[in-house]
């Protein structure tokens, strides 16, 4: 078997086996390519010239195998959207985008496929396996001292990153896959969703209550019930009459409607989208060339073949039906793709049941009968029946490229938005994703449950998806399925205050989950922390934009930042941007939590009232009292936190007055980024920045240096400076 080596830099090498499918994940070009050899047995051996610096790679009849001997203290990070703690060692994962809302601890695959992993320990390196089909990643599951990856192909590109630091390894990876999707600034506001607000009156009631109760909100979502018979790019005119005027009326109140778009297109001759797609051959086929069909919400559906550029262009233009009516945000769903059943699978299950009819079946036969129906959804046999037409005219089986389907759907939308309005940012995020899809939209972390365990998963997933370029991301706050308690929702909001996507989403049949659906105490707490989110938007937006430009992460694990041995086991605290650390409460009935501070930090305990409650906490272990209304925000030494007043929605915020909280140790500097928040090509738009420097002079007096560049909205600056001696000083200055 022939393999070649591609060098991208001194610390980034790719090893190419066979003829890999071009996933589009990596857009950087190698500096040079070297043909290494052919034949089997490229395994690393003593005294040989190994193809990889740290891992061995072998070929077998069943595909490619990667192996690495794990030392006792080695930890493994990354893998994007997956189960488990930050340190993934000891677990087993598979890359297979799966519709799996009831994800339990042993689930091996969820909605995204993100095979980027980092090894920290005796050797420090990272791997990215550029393959869009299934692979198994055993991170010490069967053998605690063996990392083993089995890739079900002989055609793959494997990247090795050997930079000294974890941050540089991520920068190197992100430089290969390109800068991420940038949402509009308003998409950093609070968003309310439910399956379903079933008609116009239900949405109007939600909006009225948010505004009446002084709860900030920027978006309300429309789930599948806004459609006519669950058909994409249609409207139920009876439940949502006079749609465009209604959209405009809500915009005057600062509310945007965000409709859902599903991957399956209802099979119906009278439905224009299906009719056109069918006539032009735009849907996925079977091996014999027949249209592949399977059931989703509308019943039998066809599935656009997004691997064809012509199909993506056609699908992207369909969004104009809604953008013409004032819609400028969407969420793509069911795009793994999720299949409820296929006609073939249902026929087999019914035949199985017929065979069991009027028989005294035993236990094994009963479970086989039950399984025939339980396993109708998302069958591998049905995925294997799908064939895609490629740009060069060849065909490929879905099994080999499954993880790219949802990404290609989001790519189609992004390409369509450019056709509709090249200068405008649209909100777009997806359920299914793969590496590379971060250039086209964000993600939410899939359908979850109102479980404390899934709040903890929200915390541990954020660094992993950030590493893979998905900066605009977040979970269903409060949990999608099940019934959230007021305590769980309060604590979840306290963490989600920091996630770029802040969306409360609940499932049909569950209790109402809007903040006002709970008791007055809980409502007051939620309102308080949602308002804090709006105060934080200058910081979050600035950190997001700078992370996007510089191939950084917004969320970062403490073990990858600090060499401190005690920090290596901290799983439930995260750095957020350059200035902050969050330490959310993740247990029920808790009136506080333990925190470990790897350095002195300034604690801002956010309470019911708006004054700063500040305290310097020393490096080390602490128990921190935190009642339900309390939220901890930590500032790192020599850090600056910019804030503005809250408002009912992002575009209503008064940005003329900027307030900064500064924890001064020796010299604090902060670069605050700002732009218009809507221009698609932000690099060519009106960018502006405010550089703030706070330092001691020779006489140990606090000095300020503030420099503005570009067209900034900020006119007045208030700085609350807390120095290392816990002395608080307030400065007011005008910004020229």
């Amino acid at each position: 078997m022939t393999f070649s080596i591609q060098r991208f830099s001194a610390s980034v090498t790719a090893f190419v086996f066979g003829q890999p499918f071009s996933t589009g994940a990596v857009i950087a070009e190698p500096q040079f390519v070297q043909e290494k050899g052919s034949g089997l047995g490229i395994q690393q051996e003593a005294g040989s010239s190994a193809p990889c610096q740290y891992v061995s790679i072998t070929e077998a009849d069943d595909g490619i195998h990667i192996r690495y001997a794990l030392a006792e203290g080695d930890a493994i990070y990354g893998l994007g959207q997956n189960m488990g703690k930050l340190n993934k060692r000891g677990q087993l994962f598979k890359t297979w985008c799966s519709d799996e809302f009831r994800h339990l601890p042993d689930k091996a695959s969820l909605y995204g496929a993100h095979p980027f992993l980092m090894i920290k320990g005796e050797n420090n390196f990272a791997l990215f396996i550029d393959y869009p089909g299934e692979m198994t990643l055993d991170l010490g599951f069967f053998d605690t001292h063996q990392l083993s990856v089995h890739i079900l192909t002989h055609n793959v590109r494997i990247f090795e990153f050997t930079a000294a630091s974890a941050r540089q390894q991520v920068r190197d990876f992100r430089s290969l896959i390109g800068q991420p999707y940038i949402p509009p600034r308003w998409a950093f506001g609070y968003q309310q969703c439910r399956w379903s607000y079933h008609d116009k009156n239900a949405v109007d009631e939600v909006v009225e209550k948010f505004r009446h109760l002084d709860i900030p909100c920027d978006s309300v979502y429309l789930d599948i019930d806004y459609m006519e018979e669950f058909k994409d790019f249609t409207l139920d005119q009876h439940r949502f009459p006079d749609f465009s005027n209604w959209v405009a009326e809500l915009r005057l109140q600062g509310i945007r409607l965000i409709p859902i778009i599903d991957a399956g297109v209802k099979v119906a001759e009278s439905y224009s989208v299906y009719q056109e797609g069918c006539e032009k051959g735009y849907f996925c086929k079977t091996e014999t060339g027949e249209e592949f069909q399977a059931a989703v919400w509308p019943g039998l559906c066809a599935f656009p073949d997004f691997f064809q550029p012509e199909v993506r262009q056609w699908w992207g233009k369909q969004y104009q039906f809604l953008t013409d009516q004032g819609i400028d945000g969407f969420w793509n769903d069911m795009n793994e793709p999720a299949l409820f059943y296929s006609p073939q699978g249902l026929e087999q299950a019914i035949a199985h049941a017929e065979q069991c009819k009027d028989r005294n079946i035993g236990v094994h036969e009963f479970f086989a009968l039950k399984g025939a129906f339980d396993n109708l959804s998302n069958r591998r046999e049905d995925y294997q029946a799908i064939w895609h037409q490629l740009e060069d005219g060849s065909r490929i089986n879905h099994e080999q490229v499954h993880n790219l389907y949802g990404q290609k759907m989001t790519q189609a939308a992004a390409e369509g938005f450019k056709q509709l309005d090249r200068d405008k940012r649209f909100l777009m995020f997806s359920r299914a994703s793969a590496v590379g899809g971060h250039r086209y939209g964000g993600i939410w972390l899939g359908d979850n449950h109102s479980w404390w365990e899934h709040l903890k998963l929200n915390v541990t997933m954020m660094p992993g998806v950030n590493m893979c370029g998905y900066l605009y991301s977040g979970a269903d706050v409060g949990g999608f399925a099940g019934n959230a308690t007021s305590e769980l929702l309060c604590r979840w909001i306290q963490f989600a205050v920091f996630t770029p996507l802040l969306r409360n989403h609940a499932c049909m049949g569950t209790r109402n989950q809007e903040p006002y659906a709970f008791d007055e105490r809980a409502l007051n707490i939620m309102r308080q922390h949602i308002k804090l989110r709006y105060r934080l938007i200058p910081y979050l937006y600035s950190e997001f934009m700078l992370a996007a430009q510089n191939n950084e992460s917004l969320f970062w694990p403490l073990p990858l930042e600090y060499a401190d041995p005690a920090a290596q086991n901290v799983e439930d605290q995260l750095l957020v941007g350059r200035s902050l650390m969050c330490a959310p409460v993740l247990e029920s009935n808790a009136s506080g939590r333990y925190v470990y501070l790897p350095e002195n930090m300034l604690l801002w305990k956010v309470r019911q009232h708006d004054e700063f409650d500040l305290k310097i906490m020393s490096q080390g272990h602490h128990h921190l009292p935190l009642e339900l209304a309390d939220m901890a925000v930590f500032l790192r030494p020599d850090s600056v936190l910019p804030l503005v007043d809250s408002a009912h929605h992002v575009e209503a915020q008064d940005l003329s007055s900027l307030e900064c909280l500064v924890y001064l140790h020796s010299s604090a500097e902060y670069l605050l980024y700002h732009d218009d928040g809507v221009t698609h090509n932000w690099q060519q738009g009106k960018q502006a920045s405010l550089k703030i420097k706070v330092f001691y002079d020779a006489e140990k007096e606090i000095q300020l240096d503030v420099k503005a560049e570009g067209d900034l909205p900020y006119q007045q600056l208030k700085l609350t400076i807390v120095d290392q001696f816990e002395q608080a000083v307030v400065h007011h200055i005008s910004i020229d």
Side-chain angles (χ1 to χ4, degrees):
M1 180 182 188
T2 301
F3 67 95
S4 60
I5 297 175
Q6 298 177 344
R7 302 279 186 192
F8 289 82
S9 69
S11 58
V12 180
T13 306
F15 304 90
V16 185
F17 301 90
Q19 296 181 325
F21 180 83
S22 179
T23 65
V26 173
I27 59 175
E29 294 294 331
Q31 295 178 359
F32 70 91
V33 178
Q34 176 186 355
E35 197 72 22
K36 185 68 178 176
S38 62
L40 307 182
I42 59 169
Q43 182 171 358
Q44 181 174 353
E45 298 175 359
S48 70
S49 177
C52 289
Q53 184 170 339
Y54 293 113
V55 299
S56 69
I57 304 176
T58 58
E59 186 195 20
D61 291 341
D62 60 353
I64 299 288
H65 294 262
I66 304 172
R67 294 183 179 87
Y68 176 73
L70 292 166
E72 194 65 39
D74 285 353
I76 303 173
Y77 297 92
L79 288 171
Q81 182 188 12
N82 262 307
M83 298 299 297
K85 300 172 73 176
L86 283 173
N87 180 1
K88 298 292 193 288
R89 182 165 178 175
Q91 293 186 258
L92 183 75
F93 300 101
K94 293 180 183 291
T95 56
W96 188 262
C97 293
S98 302
D99 175 17
E100 180 52 78
F101 80 102
R102 193 174 174 83
H103 34 284
L104 299 171
D106 62 345
K107 293 299 179 185
S109 54
L110 296 178
Y111 299 95
H114 309 130
F116 172 75
L117 63 155
M118 308 171 68
I119 291 81
K120 181 179 185 293
E122 199 166 276
N123 297 303
N124 297 303
F125 65 99
L127 297 173
F128 167 54
I129 304 161
D130 190 11
Y131 176 63
E134 184 181 37
M135 69 183 88
T136 302
L137 299 102
D138 179 346
L139 309 183
F141 179 78
F142 285 108
D143 180 346
T144 58
H145 295 292
Q146 180 78 40
L147 181 154
S148 178
V149 181
H150 178 203
I151 311 163
L152 296 177
T153 185
H154 296 112
N155 304 290
V156 65
R157 188 157 60 153
I158 301 166
F159 290 79
E160 186 180 44
F161 304 86
T162 58
S165 72
R167 278 196 183 272
Q168 188 57 50
Q169 290 166 14
V170 170
R171 290 188 199 108
D172 288 345
F173 173 51
R174 295 265 300 280
S175 69
L176 297 185
I177 62 177
Q179 290 188 330
Y181 157 81
I182 304 295
R185 195 171 188 272
W186 57 260
F188 285 77
Y190 176 87
Q191 305 174 27
Q192 185 63 51
C193 186
R194 182 173 181 83
W195 176 32
S196 259
Y197 298 125
H198 59 276
D199 62 16
K200 175 182 180 294
N201 292 335
V203 174
D204 286 341
E205 181 182 354
V206 171
V207 173
E208 192 277 330
K209 286 185 175 180
F210 268 88
R211 292 296 180 249
H212 176 71
L213 294 169
D214 190 28
I215 310 169
C217 182
D218 269 77
S219 304
V220 177
Y221 281 68
L222 300 178
D223 211 309
I224 56 175
D225 293 300
Y226 81 91
M227 304 176 190
E228 180 188 89
E229 299 177 343
F230 306 139
K231 295 183 293 189
D232 285 327
F233 310 115
T234 66
L235 287 166
D236 188 316
Q237 299 291 349
H238 297 290
R239 287 184 290 169
F240 295 91
D242 197 16
F243 191 76
S244 60
N245 285 332
W246 180 50
V247 171
E249 290 169 4
L250 289 176
R251 284 289 293 275
L252 292 175
Q253 301 178 61
I255 295 291
R256 285 172 162 86
L257 291 177
I258 314 295
I260 195 171
I261 302 294
D262 284 342
V265 174
K266 180 178 175 65
V267 174
E269 295 300 328
S270 59
Y271 174 30
S272 62
V273 176
Y274 173 73
Q275 186 179 42
E276 183 180 5
C278 186
E279 289 174 355
K280 294 183 176 179
Y282 285 166
F283 296 121
C284 295
K285 304 292 193 299
T286 65
E287 187 173 15
T288 58
E290 299 173 354
E291 185 176 276
F292 173 82
Q293 296 180 358
V296 199
W297 302 115
L300 284 181
C301 290
F303 297 84
D305 192 355
F306 297 119
F307 288 83
Q308 300 179 49
E310 185 181 358
V311 176
R312 291 199 302 273
Q313 184 181 44
W314 167 73
W315 185 259
K317 288 181 178 178
Q318 302 303 317
Y319 287 83
Q320 187 171 2
F321 171 76
L322 290 162
T323 61
D324 281 351
Q325 302 189 64
I327 297 297
D328 52 9
F330 300 88
W331 50 312
N332 282 347
D333 195 15
M334 307 296 286
N335 54 347
E336 291 73 33
L339 310 175
F340 290 169
Y341 66 85
S342 68
Q344 298 81 4
L346 185 59
E347 183 180 349
Q348 292 169 15
I350 292 173
H352 192 141
E354 289 288 345
Q355 293 173 5
C356 296
K357 187 177 179 180
D358 300 327
R359 290 180 52 211
N360 180 10
I361 60 175
V363 61
H364 297 299
E365 292 173 300
F366 167 73
F367 282 116
L369 171 63
K370 184 173 182 291
F373 289 90
D374 287 346
N375 300 320
L376 275 175
S377 297
N378 307 318
R379 298 191 318 158
R380 290 299 280 267
E381 301 97 313
D382 292 331
Y383 289 128
Q384 290 163 356
I386 302 172
W387 286 81
H388 298 287
Q389 185 82 29
L390 302 181
E391 190 171 0
D392 63 3
S394 64
R395 296 201 306 164
I396 192 168
N397 187 262
H398 180 84
E399 178 96 355
Q400 296 174 263
V401 293
H402 170 78
N403 297 324
L404 289 181
Y405 188 82
Q407 171 181 315
K408 293 291 184 182
M409 179 185 179
T410 302
Q411 181 181 349
E415 292 170 351
F417 297 151
K418 285 186 179 181
Q419 296 178 66
L420 297 174
D421 191 338
R422 180 169 293 275
D423 295 328
K424 180 178 178 177
R425 298 184 209 172
F426 289 82
L427 174 60
M428 165 51 62
F429 60 95
S430 169
R431 190 170 76 175
S433 65
V435 173
H438 70 292
R439 299 192 297 271
Y440 309 113
I443 54 172
W444 92 98
L445 300 177
D447 300 339
N448 56 6
H449 269 70
S450 297
W451 297 338
W452 289 92
E453 291 79 5
H454 281 187
L455 167 55
K456 295 174 186 177
L457 270 178
N458 190 181
V459 175
T460 57
M461 282 185 188
M462 292 307 294
V465 296
N466 274 198
M467 290 174 187
C468 293
Y470 287 100
L471 298 186
Y472 191 76
S473 53
D476 282 345
V477 174
F480 174 67
N483 296 304
T485 64
S486 59
E487 181 192 19
L488 174 60
L489 184 54
C490 286
R491 293 303 194 190
W492 209 318
I493 288 174
Q494 288 170 2
F495 171 68
V497 155
F498 300 103
T499 62
L501 173 59
L502 170 53
R503 183 180 74 154
N504 178 335
H505 185 28
C507 181
M508 180 184 293
T510 65
R511 69 180 295 178
N512 291 338
Q513 200 167 282
E514 301 81 11
Y516 55 74
F518 298 87
D519 61 76
E520 180 120 4
R521 174 173 176 257
L523 167 61
N524 290 335
I525 292 170
M526 293 180 209
R527 180 197 294 117
Q528 154 196 340
H529 291 116
I530 293 170
K531 286 188 171 184
L532 172 65
R533 162 54 172 249
Y534 280 72
R535 296 197 68 198
L536 287 168
I537 284 177
Y539 176 77
L540 294 173
Y541 186 76
S542 181
E543 292 300 302
F544 182 100
M545 294 300 293
L546 292 169
Q549 294 175 46
N550 299 319
N551 296 321
E552 296 284 359
S553 294
L554 187 62
F555 289 90
W556 192 248
L558 268 63
L560 298 181
E561 181 74 5
Y562 299 97
D564 182 347
Q568 304 312 301
N569 298 316
V570 177
E571 292 268 346
D572 57 357
Q573 302 167 210
L574 296 175
L575 300 177
V576 186
R578 293 166 292 167
S579 299
L580 300 184
M581 184 187 77
C582 68
V585 175
L586 304 175
E587 304 289 344
S588 63
N589 298 316
S591 57
R593 60 156 293 165
Y594 286 92
V595 295
Y596 177 72
L597 305 184
E599 56 188 338
N600 292 354
M601 291 188 181
L602 177 66
L603 168 65
W604 174 20
K605 186 182 284 190
V606 181
R607 295 178 177 273
Q608 193 79 24
H609 303 292
D610 206 26
E611 306 97 19
F612 286 134
D613 181 356
L614 305 172
K615 177 184 178 182
I616 293 177
M617 298 185 68
S618 61
Q619 183 271 339
H621 297 273
H622 302 268
H623 181 266
L624 185 62
L626 291 168
E627 298 299 330
L628 187 59
D630 299 336
M631 176 180 165
V633 179
F634 289 93
L635 268 74
R636 302 177 70 183
D638 288 328
S639 289
V640 178
L641 175 61
L643 303 161
V644 293
D645 289 340
S646 182
H648 278 166
H649 57 97
V650 168
E651 291 175 344
Q653 286 186 282
D654 180 4
L655 302 183
S656 62
S657 295
L658 183 69
E659 184 173 15
C660 288
L661 178 59
V662 182
Y663 177 28
L664 179 63
H665 192 264
S666 57
S667 178
E669 289 190 35
Y670 190 78
L671 182 67
L672 177 64
Y673 174 93
H674 182 82
D675 62 24
D676 64 15
V678 294
T679 301
H680 180 265
N681 191 352
W682 51 270
Q683 293 150 315
Q684 301 298 320
K686 295 181 179 179
Q687 299 180 65
S689 63
L690 183 67
K691 188 173 183 179
I692 302 168
K693 184 176 181 179
V694 185
F695 59 99
Y696 292 110
D697 63 16
E699 285 72 39
K700 296 297 181 182
E701 296 292 329
I702 295 176
Q703 300 295 325
L704 306 177
D705 185 11
V706 178
K707 294 180 180 178
E709 291 189 10
D711 186 15
L712 282 167
Y714 311 116
Q715 300 169 18
Q716 299 293 323
L717 176 60
K718 175 185 176 183
L719 295 107
T720 300
I721 304 166
V722 180
D723 68 9
Q724 58 184 310
F725 308 109
E726 212 156 356
Q727 300 178 46
V729 180
V730 178
H731 287 267
H732 295 266
I733 62 174
S734 296
I735 301 173
D736 297 327

